[in-house]
Coordinates of all heavy atoms in Angstrom, one line a residue:
M1 N 128.3 135.7 3.6 CA 127.9 136.4 2.4 C 127.3 135.4 1.4 O 127.9 134.4 1.1 CB 129.2 137.1 1.8 CG 128.9 137.8 0.5 SD 130.2 138.8 -0.1 CE 131.5 137.6 -0.5
A2 N 126.2 135.8 0.8 CA 125.6 135.0 -0.2 C 125.8 135.7 -1.6 O 125.8 136.9 -1.7 CB 124.1 134.8 0.1
T3 N 126.0 134.9 -2.6 CA 126.1 135.4 -4.0 C 125.1 134.8 -4.9 O 124.8 133.6 -4.8 CB 127.5 135.0 -4.5 OG1 128.5 135.5 -3.6 CG2 127.8 135.6 -5.9
V4 N 124.5 135.7 -5.7 CA 123.5 135.2 -6.7 C 124.1 135.6 -8.1 O 124.5 136.7 -8.4 CB 122.2 135.9 -6.5 CG1 121.2 135.5 -7.6 CG2 121.6 135.7 -5.2
D5 N 124.2 134.5 -9.0 CA 124.7 134.8 -10.3 C 123.5 134.6 -11.2 O 122.9 133.6 -11.4 CB 125.7 133.7 -10.7 CG 126.3 133.9 -12.1 OD1 125.8 134.7 -12.9 OD2 127.3 133.3 -12.3
Y6 N 123.1 135.7 -11.9 CA 121.9 135.7 -12.7 C 122.0 135.0 -14.0 O 121.1 134.8 -14.7 CB 121.4 137.1 -12.9 CG 120.7 137.8 -11.7 CD1 121.4 138.0 -10.6 CD2 119.4 138.1 -11.8 CE1 120.8 138.6 -9.5 CE2 118.7 138.7 -10.7 CZ 119.5 138.9 -9.6 OH 118.8 139.5 -8.5
L7 N 123.3 134.5 -14.3 CA 123.4 133.6 -15.5 C 122.8 132.2 -15.2 O 122.5 131.5 -16.1 CB 124.9 133.5 -15.9 CG 125.4 134.7 -16.7 CD1 126.9 134.5 -17.0 CD2 124.7 135.0 -17.9
E8 N 122.7 131.9 -13.9 CA 122.1 130.7 -13.5 C 120.6 130.9 -13.3 O 120.1 132.1 -13.1 CB 122.8 130.1 -12.3 CG 124.2 129.8 -12.5 CD 124.9 129.4 -11.3 OE1 124.2 129.0 -10.3 OE2 126.1 129.3 -11.3
K9 N 119.8 129.9 -13.2 CA 118.4 130.0 -12.9 C 118.2 130.7 -11.6 O 118.6 130.2 -10.6 CB 117.7 128.6 -12.9 CG 116.3 128.6 -13.1 CD 115.8 127.2 -13.2 CE 114.5 127.1 -13.8 NZ 114.0 125.7 -14.0
T10 N 117.5 131.9 -11.6 CA 117.4 132.7 -10.4 C 115.9 132.8 -10.1 O 115.1 133.3 -10.9 CB 118.0 134.1 -10.6 OG1 119.4 133.9 -10.9 CG2 117.9 134.9 -9.3
A11 N 115.5 132.4 -8.9 CA 114.1 132.5 -8.5 C 113.7 134.0 -8.3 O 114.5 134.8 -7.8 CB 113.9 131.8 -7.2
M12 N 112.6 134.4 -8.7 CA 112.1 135.7 -8.6 C 111.4 135.9 -7.2 O 110.8 135.0 -6.7 CB 111.0 136.1 -9.6 CG 111.5 136.1 -11.0 SD 110.2 136.3 -12.2 CE 109.9 138.0 -12.0
P13 N 111.6 137.0 -6.5 CA 111.0 137.2 -5.2 C 109.5 137.7 -5.3 O 109.2 138.8 -5.1 CB 111.9 138.3 -4.6 CG 112.3 139.1 -5.8 CD 112.5 138.1 -6.9
M14 N 108.7 136.8 -5.8 CA 107.3 137.1 -6.0 C 106.4 136.5 -4.9 O 106.7 135.4 -4.4 CB 106.8 136.5 -7.3 CG 107.5 137.2 -8.5 SD 107.0 136.6 -10.1 CE 105.2 137.0 -10.1
V15 N 105.4 137.1 -4.6 CA 104.4 136.6 -3.6 C 103.4 135.7 -4.4 O 102.9 136.1 -5.4 CB 103.6 137.8 -2.9 CG1 102.6 137.2 -2.0 CG2 104.6 138.7 -2.2
G16 N 103.2 134.5 -3.8 CA 102.2 133.6 -4.4 C 102.9 132.8 -5.5 O 104.1 132.9 -5.7
G17 N 102.2 132.0 -6.2 CA 102.7 131.1 -7.2 C 103.4 129.9 -6.7 O 103.7 129.8 -5.5
D18 N 103.7 128.9 -7.5 CA 104.3 127.7 -7.1 C 105.8 127.8 -7.2 O 106.3 128.4 -8.1 CB 103.8 126.5 -8.0 CG 102.4 126.2 -7.8 OD1 101.8 126.4 -6.7 OD2 101.7 125.9 -8.8
V19 N 106.5 127.2 -6.2 CA 108.0 127.3 -6.2 C 108.6 126.7 -7.5 O 109.5 127.3 -8.0 CB 108.5 126.5 -5.0 CG1 110.0 126.5 -5.0 CG2 108.0 127.2 -3.7
G20 N 108.1 125.7 -8.0 CA 108.7 125.1 -9.2 C 108.2 125.7 -10.5 O 108.6 125.2 -11.6
D21 N 107.3 126.7 -10.5 CA 106.7 127.2 -11.6 C 107.8 128.0 -12.5 O 108.4 128.9 -12.0 CB 105.6 128.2 -11.3 CG 104.9 128.9 -12.4 OD1 105.2 128.6 -13.6 OD2 103.9 129.6 -12.1
P22 N 108.0 127.6 -13.8 CA 109.0 128.3 -14.6 C 108.8 129.8 -14.7 O 109.8 130.5 -14.9 CB 108.9 127.6 -15.9 CG 108.1 126.4 -15.7 CD 107.3 126.6 -14.5
S23 N 107.6 130.3 -14.6 CA 107.4 131.7 -14.7 C 107.9 132.5 -13.5 O 107.9 133.7 -13.4 CB 105.9 132.0 -14.9 OG 105.1 131.7 -13.7
Q24 N 108.3 131.8 -12.4 CA 108.8 132.4 -11.2 C 110.3 132.6 -11.2 O 110.9 132.8 -10.2 CB 108.4 131.5 -10.0 CG 106.9 131.3 -9.8 CD 106.2 132.6 -9.4 OE1 106.6 133.3 -8.5 NE2 105.2 133.0 -10.2
F25 N 110.9 132.4 -12.4 CA 112.4 132.5 -12.5 C 112.7 133.7 -13.4 O 112.1 133.9 -14.4 CB 113.0 131.2 -12.9 CG 113.0 130.2 -11.9 CD1 111.9 129.3 -11.8 CD2 114.0 130.0 -11.0 CE1 111.8 128.4 -10.8 CE2 113.9 129.0 -10.0 CZ 112.8 128.2 -9.9
L26 N 113.8 134.4 -13.1 CA 114.3 135.4 -14.0 C 115.1 134.8 -15.2 O 115.7 133.8 -15.1 CB 115.3 136.4 -13.2 CG 114.7 137.2 -12.1 CD1 115.8 137.8 -11.3 CD2 113.7 138.2 -12.6
P27 N 115.0 135.5 -16.3 CA 115.8 135.0 -17.5 C 117.3 135.2 -17.2 O 117.7 136.1 -16.4 CB 115.4 135.9 -18.6 CG 114.8 137.1 -18.0 CD 114.3 136.7 -16.7
A28 N 118.2 134.4 -17.8 CA 119.6 134.6 -17.6 C 120.1 135.9 -18.0 O 119.6 136.5 -19.0 CB 120.4 133.5 -18.4
S29 N 120.9 136.5 -17.2 CA 121.4 137.9 -17.4 C 122.8 138.0 -16.8 O 123.2 137.3 -15.9 CB 120.5 138.9 -16.8 OG 120.9 140.2 -17.0
D30 N 123.6 138.9 -17.3 CA 125.0 139.1 -16.9 C 125.0 140.0 -15.6 O 125.4 141.2 -15.7 CB 125.8 139.7 -18.0 CG 127.3 139.6 -17.8 OD1 127.7 138.8 -16.9 OD2 128.1 140.2 -18.6
V31 N 124.5 139.5 -14.5 CA 124.3 140.3 -13.3 C 124.8 139.5 -12.1 O 124.6 138.3 -12.0 CB 122.9 140.7 -13.1 CG1 122.7 141.4 -11.7 CG2 122.3 141.5 -14.2
L32 N 125.5 140.1 -11.2 CA 126.0 139.5 -9.9 C 125.4 140.2 -8.8 O 125.4 141.5 -8.8 CB 127.5 139.4 -9.8 CG 128.2 138.5 -10.8 CD1 129.7 138.7 -10.7 CD2 127.9 137.0 -10.6
E33 N 124.9 139.5 -7.8 CA 124.4 140.1 -6.6 C 125.0 139.5 -5.3 O 125.1 138.3 -5.2 CB 122.9 139.8 -6.6 CG 122.1 140.4 -5.4 CD 120.6 140.1 -5.5 OE1 120.1 140.2 -6.6 OE2 120.0 139.8 -4.5
W34 N 125.4 140.4 -4.4 CA 126.0 139.9 -3.2 C 125.1 140.4 -2.0 O 124.9 141.6 -1.9 CB 127.4 140.5 -3.0 CG 128.4 139.9 -3.9 CD1 129.2 138.8 -3.7 CD2 128.8 140.4 -5.2 NE1 129.9 138.5 -4.8 CE2 129.8 139.5 -5.7 CE3 128.5 141.5 -5.9 CZ2 130.4 139.7 -6.9 CZ3 129.1 141.7 -7.1 CH2 130.1 140.9 -7.6
H35 N 124.8 139.5 -1.1 CA 124.1 139.8 0.1 C 125.1 139.9 1.2 O 125.7 138.8 1.5 CB 123.0 138.8 0.4 CG 121.9 138.8 -0.6 ND1 120.7 139.4 -0.4 CD2 121.9 138.2 -1.8 CE1 120.0 139.2 -1.4 NE2 120.6 138.5 -2.3
L36 N 125.3 141.0 1.8 CA 126.3 141.2 2.8 C 125.7 141.2 4.2 O 124.5 141.3 4.3 CB 127.1 142.5 2.5 CG 127.7 142.7 1.1 CD1 128.2 144.1 0.9 CD2 128.7 141.6 0.9
E37 N 126.6 141.3 5.2 CA 126.0 141.4 6.6 C 125.3 142.8 6.8 O 125.4 143.7 6.0 CB 127.2 141.3 7.6 CG 128.2 142.3 7.4 CD 129.5 142.0 8.3 OE1 129.8 140.9 8.5 OE2 130.1 143.0 8.6
D38 N 124.5 142.8 7.8 CA 123.8 144.1 8.2 C 122.8 144.5 7.1 O 122.6 145.7 6.9 CB 124.8 145.2 8.6 CG 125.7 144.9 9.7 OD1 125.2 144.1 10.6 OD2 126.8 145.4 9.8
D39 N 122.1 143.6 6.4 CA 121.1 143.9 5.4 C 121.7 144.8 4.3 O 121.0 145.7 3.8 CB 119.9 144.6 6.1 CG 119.0 143.6 6.7 OD1 119.0 142.4 6.3 OD2 118.2 144.0 7.6
R40 N 123.0 144.6 3.9 CA 123.6 145.4 2.8 C 123.6 144.5 1.6 O 123.7 143.3 1.7 CB 124.9 145.8 3.1 CG 125.0 146.8 4.3 CD 126.4 147.2 4.7 NE 127.1 146.0 5.1 CZ 128.5 145.9 4.9 NH1 129.2 146.9 4.4 NH2 129.1 144.8 5.2
K41 N 123.5 145.1 0.4 CA 123.4 144.3 -0.8 C 124.1 145.1 -1.9 O 124.0 146.3 -1.9 CB 122.0 144.0 -1.2 CG 121.9 143.2 -2.4 CD 120.5 142.6 -2.7 CE 119.4 143.6 -2.8 NZ 118.1 143.0 -3.2
V42 N 124.8 144.4 -2.8 CA 125.5 145.1 -3.9 C 125.0 144.3 -5.2 O 125.1 143.0 -5.2 CB 127.0 145.0 -3.8 CG1 127.7 145.6 -5.1 CG2 127.4 145.8 -2.6
I43 N 124.6 145.0 -6.2 CA 124.3 144.4 -7.5 C 125.1 145.0 -8.5 O 125.2 146.3 -8.6 CB 122.8 144.5 -7.9 CG1 121.9 143.8 -6.8 CG2 122.5 144.0 -9.2 CD1 120.4 144.0 -7.0
I44 N 125.8 144.2 -9.4 CA 126.8 144.8 -10.4 C 126.4 144.1 -11.7 O 126.2 142.9 -11.8 CB 128.2 144.5 -10.0 CG1 128.6 145.2 -8.7 CG2 129.2 144.9 -11.1 CD1 130.0 145.1 -8.2
H45 N 126.4 144.9 -12.8 CA 126.3 144.4 -14.1 C 126.9 145.4 -15.1 O 127.0 146.6 -14.9 CB 124.8 144.1 -14.5 CG 124.0 145.3 -14.7 ND1 123.8 145.8 -16.0 CD2 123.3 146.0 -13.9 CE1 123.0 146.9 -15.9 NE2 122.7 147.0 -14.6
P46 N 127.4 144.8 -16.3 CA 128.0 145.7 -17.3 C 126.9 146.4 -18.0 O 125.8 145.9 -18.2 CB 128.7 144.7 -18.2 CG 128.0 143.4 -18.0 CD 127.5 143.4 -16.6
S47 N 127.2 147.7 -18.4 CA 126.2 148.4 -19.2 C 126.1 147.8 -20.6 O 127.1 147.3 -21.1 CB 126.7 149.9 -19.4 OG 125.9 150.6 -20.3
S48 N 124.9 147.7 -21.1 CA 124.7 147.1 -22.4 C 124.9 148.2 -23.5 O 125.0 147.8 -24.7 CB 123.3 146.5 -22.6 OG 122.3 147.6 -22.3
T49 N 125.1 149.4 -23.2 CA 125.2 150.5 -24.2 C 126.5 151.3 -24.1 O 126.9 152.0 -25.0 CB 124.1 151.5 -24.1 OG1 124.1 152.0 -22.8 CG2 122.7 150.8 -24.4
E50 N 127.3 151.1 -23.0 CA 128.4 151.9 -22.7 C 129.5 151.0 -22.1 O 129.2 150.0 -21.5 CB 128.2 153.1 -21.8 CG 127.1 154.0 -22.3 CD 126.8 155.0 -21.2 OE1 125.9 154.8 -20.4 OE2 127.4 156.1 -21.2
P51 N 130.8 151.3 -22.3 CA 131.9 150.5 -21.7 C 132.1 150.9 -20.2 O 133.1 151.5 -19.8 CB 133.1 150.9 -22.5 CG 132.9 152.3 -23.0 CD 131.4 152.4 -23.1
K52 N 131.1 150.5 -19.4 CA 131.2 150.8 -17.9 C 130.4 149.7 -17.2 O 129.6 149.0 -17.7 CB 130.7 152.2 -17.6 CG 129.3 152.4 -17.8 CD 128.9 153.8 -17.5 CE 127.4 154.1 -17.7 NZ 127.1 155.5 -17.3
I53 N 130.7 149.7 -15.9 CA 130.0 148.7 -15.0 C 129.0 149.6 -14.1 O 129.3 150.6 -13.6 CB 131.0 148.1 -14.1 CG1 131.9 147.2 -14.9 CG2 130.3 147.2 -13.0 CD1 133.0 146.5 -14.1
K54 N 127.8 149.1 -14.0 CA 126.8 149.7 -13.2 C 126.7 149.0 -11.9 O 126.7 147.8 -11.8 CB 125.4 149.7 -13.9 CG 125.4 150.5 -15.2 CD 124.1 150.5 -15.7 CE 124.1 151.4 -17.0 NZ 122.7 151.5 -17.6
C55 N 126.7 149.8 -10.8 CA 126.7 149.2 -9.4 C 125.5 149.8 -8.7 O 125.3 151.0 -8.7 CB 128.0 149.5 -8.6 SG 129.5 149.0 -9.4
Y56 N 124.7 148.9 -8.0 CA 123.6 149.3 -7.2 C 123.9 148.9 -5.8 O 124.1 147.7 -5.5 CB 122.3 148.7 -7.8 CG 122.1 149.1 -9.2 CD1 122.5 148.3 -10.2 CD2 121.3 150.2 -9.5 CE1 122.3 148.6 -11.6 CE2 121.2 150.6 -10.9 CZ 121.6 149.8 -11.9 OH 121.4 150.1 -13.2
L57 N 123.8 149.8 -4.9 CA 124.1 149.6 -3.5 C 122.8 149.7 -2.6 O 122.1 150.7 -2.8 CB 125.2 150.6 -3.0 CG 126.4 150.7 -3.9 CD1 127.4 151.7 -3.3 CD2 127.1 149.3 -4.0
F58 N 122.6 148.8 -1.7 CA 121.4 148.8 -0.8 C 121.9 148.7 0.6 O 122.7 147.8 0.9 CB 120.5 147.7 -1.2 CG 120.0 147.7 -2.6 CD1 120.8 147.1 -3.6 CD2 118.8 148.3 -3.0 CE1 120.3 147.1 -5.0 CE2 118.4 148.3 -4.3 CZ 119.1 147.8 -5.3
V59 N 121.3 149.5 1.5 CA 121.5 149.3 2.9 C 120.2 149.5 3.7 O 119.2 150.0 3.1 CB 122.6 150.4 3.5 CG1 123.9 150.3 2.8 CG2 122.0 151.8 3.3
R60 N 120.2 149.1 4.9 CA 119.0 149.3 5.7 C 119.5 149.6 7.2 O 120.4 149.0 7.6 CB 118.2 148.0 5.8 CG 116.9 148.1 6.6 CD 116.1 146.9 6.6 NE 115.7 146.6 5.2 CZ 115.0 145.5 4.8 NH1 114.7 144.6 5.7 NH2 114.7 145.4 3.5
A61 N 118.9 150.7 7.7 CA 119.2 151.1 9.1 C 118.0 151.7 9.7 O 117.0 152.0 9.1 CB 120.4 152.1 9.0
D62 N 118.1 151.9 11.0 CA 117.0 152.4 11.8 C 116.8 153.9 11.7 O 115.8 154.4 12.1 CB 117.1 151.9 13.3 CG 118.4 152.4 13.9 OD1 119.3 152.9 13.3 OD2 118.4 152.2 15.2
T63 N 117.8 154.6 11.2 CA 117.7 156.1 11.0 C 118.3 156.5 9.6 O 119.1 155.7 9.1 CB 118.4 156.9 12.1 OG1 119.8 156.7 12.0 CG2 117.9 156.5 13.5
R64 N 117.9 157.6 9.1 CA 118.4 158.1 7.9 C 119.9 158.3 8.0 O 120.7 158.0 7.1 CB 117.7 159.4 7.4 CG 118.2 159.9 6.1 CD 117.4 161.1 5.7 NE 116.1 160.9 5.4 CZ 115.5 160.7 4.2 NH1 116.3 160.8 3.1 NH2 114.3 160.5 4.0
M65 N 120.3 158.9 9.1 CA 121.8 159.2 9.3 C 122.6 157.9 9.3 O 123.7 157.9 8.7 CB 122.0 160.0 10.6 CG 123.4 160.4 10.8 SD 123.9 161.4 12.2 CE 122.4 161.8 13.0
R66 N 122.1 156.9 9.9 CA 122.9 155.6 9.9 C 122.9 155.0 8.6 O 123.8 154.4 8.1 CB 122.3 154.7 11.0 CG 122.7 155.1 12.4 CD 122.2 154.1 13.4 NE 122.6 154.5 14.7 CZ 122.0 154.2 15.8 NH1 120.9 153.5 15.8 NH2 122.4 154.7 17.0
A67 N 121.7 155.1 7.9 CA 121.7 154.5 6.5 C 122.6 155.3 5.6 O 123.3 154.6 4.8 CB 120.2 154.6 6.0
T68 N 122.7 156.6 5.7 CA 123.6 157.4 4.9 C 125.1 157.0 5.2 O 125.9 156.8 4.2 CB 123.4 158.9 5.1 OG1 122.0 159.2 4.7 CG2 124.3 159.7 4.3
A69 N 125.4 156.9 6.5 CA 126.8 156.5 6.8 C 127.1 155.1 6.3 O 128.2 154.8 5.8 CB 126.9 156.5 8.4
A70 N 126.1 154.1 6.4 CA 126.4 152.8 5.9 C 126.5 152.8 4.4 O 127.4 152.1 3.9 CB 125.2 151.8 6.3
L71 N 125.7 153.5 3.7 CA 125.8 153.6 2.3 C 127.1 154.3 1.8 O 127.8 153.8 0.9 CB 124.6 154.4 1.7 CG 124.5 154.5 0.2 CD1 124.4 153.0 -0.4 CD2 123.3 155.3 -0.2
D72 N 127.6 155.3 2.5 CA 128.9 156.0 2.2 C 130.0 155.0 2.4 O 130.9 154.9 1.6 CB 129.1 157.2 3.1 CG 128.2 158.4 2.7 OD1 127.6 158.3 1.6 OD2 128.0 159.3 3.5
A73 N 129.9 154.2 3.5 CA 131.0 153.2 3.8 C 131.0 152.1 2.8 O 132.1 151.7 2.3 CB 130.8 152.6 5.2
L74 N 129.9 151.7 2.4 CA 129.8 150.6 1.3 C 130.3 151.2 0.0 O 131.1 150.4 -0.7 CB 128.3 150.1 1.2 CG 128.1 149.0 0.2 CD1 128.9 147.7 0.6 CD2 126.6 148.6 0.2
E75 N 129.9 152.4 -0.4 CA 130.4 153.0 -1.6 C 131.9 153.2 -1.6 O 132.6 152.8 -2.6 CB 129.8 154.3 -1.8 CG 130.1 155.0 -3.1 CD 129.3 156.2 -3.4 OE1 128.5 156.7 -2.6 OE2 129.7 156.9 -4.4
D76 N 132.5 153.6 -0.4 CA 133.9 153.8 -0.3 C 134.7 152.4 -0.5 O 135.7 152.3 -1.1 CB 134.3 154.4 1.0 CG 133.9 155.9 1.1 OD1 133.6 156.5 0.1 OD2 133.9 156.4 2.3
G77 N 134.1 151.4 0.2 CA 134.7 150.1 0.1 C 134.7 149.5 -1.4 O 135.7 149.0 -1.8
L78 N 133.6 149.7 -2.0 CA 133.5 149.2 -3.4 C 134.4 150.0 -4.3 O 135.0 149.4 -5.2 CB 132.0 149.3 -3.8 CG 131.7 148.7 -5.2 CD1 132.1 147.2 -5.3 CD2 130.2 148.9 -5.6
S79 N 134.4 151.3 -4.1 CA 135.3 152.1 -5.0 C 136.8 151.7 -4.8 O 137.5 151.6 -5.8 CB 135.1 153.6 -4.6 OG 133.9 154.1 -5.0
A80 N 137.2 151.5 -3.6 CA 138.6 151.0 -3.3 C 138.8 149.7 -4.0 O 139.9 149.5 -4.6 CB 138.8 151.0 -1.8
L81 N 137.9 148.8 -3.9 CA 138.0 147.5 -4.5 C 138.1 147.6 -6.0 O 139.0 147.0 -6.7 CB 136.9 146.6 -4.1 CG 136.9 145.2 -4.7 CD1 138.1 144.4 -4.2 CD2 135.6 144.5 -4.4
L82 N 137.3 148.4 -6.6 CA 137.3 148.5 -8.1 C 138.5 149.3 -8.6 O 139.0 149.1 -9.7 CB 136.0 149.2 -8.6 CG 134.8 148.4 -8.4 CD1 133.5 149.2 -8.8 CD2 134.8 147.1 -9.2
D83 N 139.0 150.2 -7.8 CA 140.2 151.0 -8.2 C 141.5 150.1 -8.2 O 142.4 150.4 -8.9 CB 140.5 152.2 -7.2 CG 139.5 153.3 -7.4 OD1 138.8 153.3 -8.5 OD2 139.3 154.2 -6.5
K84 N 141.5 149.0 -7.5 CA 142.6 148.1 -7.4 C 142.7 147.3 -8.7 O 143.7 146.6 -9.0 CB 142.5 147.2 -6.2 CG 142.7 147.9 -4.9 CD 142.7 146.9 -3.7 CE 142.8 147.6 -2.4 NZ 142.8 146.7 -1.3
R85 N 141.6 147.2 -9.4 CA 141.6 146.3 -10.6 C 142.2 146.9 -11.8 O 142.2 147.9 -12.3 CB 140.1 145.9 -10.9 CG 139.4 145.3 -9.8 CD 139.8 143.9 -9.6 NE 139.2 143.3 -8.4 CZ 139.6 142.2 -7.9 NH1 140.6 141.5 -8.4 NH2 139.0 141.8 -6.8

């Protein structure tokens, strides 16, 4: 599992440009991103206008049914984890 903390200098996924070019980096932000197995990804950040956390879930599969099942499982796992807090 890989973790990206957007408070640190984070490279932008842009095509072209120089690797060391400062314009190729995102500004610091209160965002965490986790790259999970099976091409799944979770991005979490606090809302800037409300007292809540926003979660973005990403999955990839070879069929819509498998993608839906993977997304449901990821959502259930994240909900269980957040409910424990």
Side-chain angles (χ1 to χ4, degrees):
M1 175 173 65
T3 303
V4 179
D5 184 348
Y6 283 64
L7 282 178
E8 299 178 13
K9 197 175 202 181
T10 304
M12 296 176 74
M14 295 179 64
V15 176
D18 295 326
V19 175
D21 182 357
S23 69
Q24 300 293 307
F25 289 89
L26 294 171
S29 183
D30 199 10
V31 176
L32 292 172
E33 179 178 322
W34 290 274
H35 294 260
L36 308 171
E37 59 190 30
D38 299 330
D39 280 335
R40 296 175 302 150
K41 180 167 62 171
V42 175
I43 298 175
I44 296 179
H45 73 90
S47 171
S48 59
T49 58
E50 302 173 271
K52 66 180 180 181
I53 295 174
K54 295 183 178 183
C55 302
Y56 301 90
L57 310 177
F58 302 85
V59 300
R60 185 177 295 177
D62 57 353
T63 68
R64 182 181 293 261
M65 188 178 348
R66 286 185 179 151
T68 299
L71 187 58
D72 289 344
L74 186 57
E75 184 176 356
D76 290 346
L78 184 60
S79 292
L81 180 64
L82 293 175
D83 286 343
K84 291 181 181 181
R85 304 283 174 194

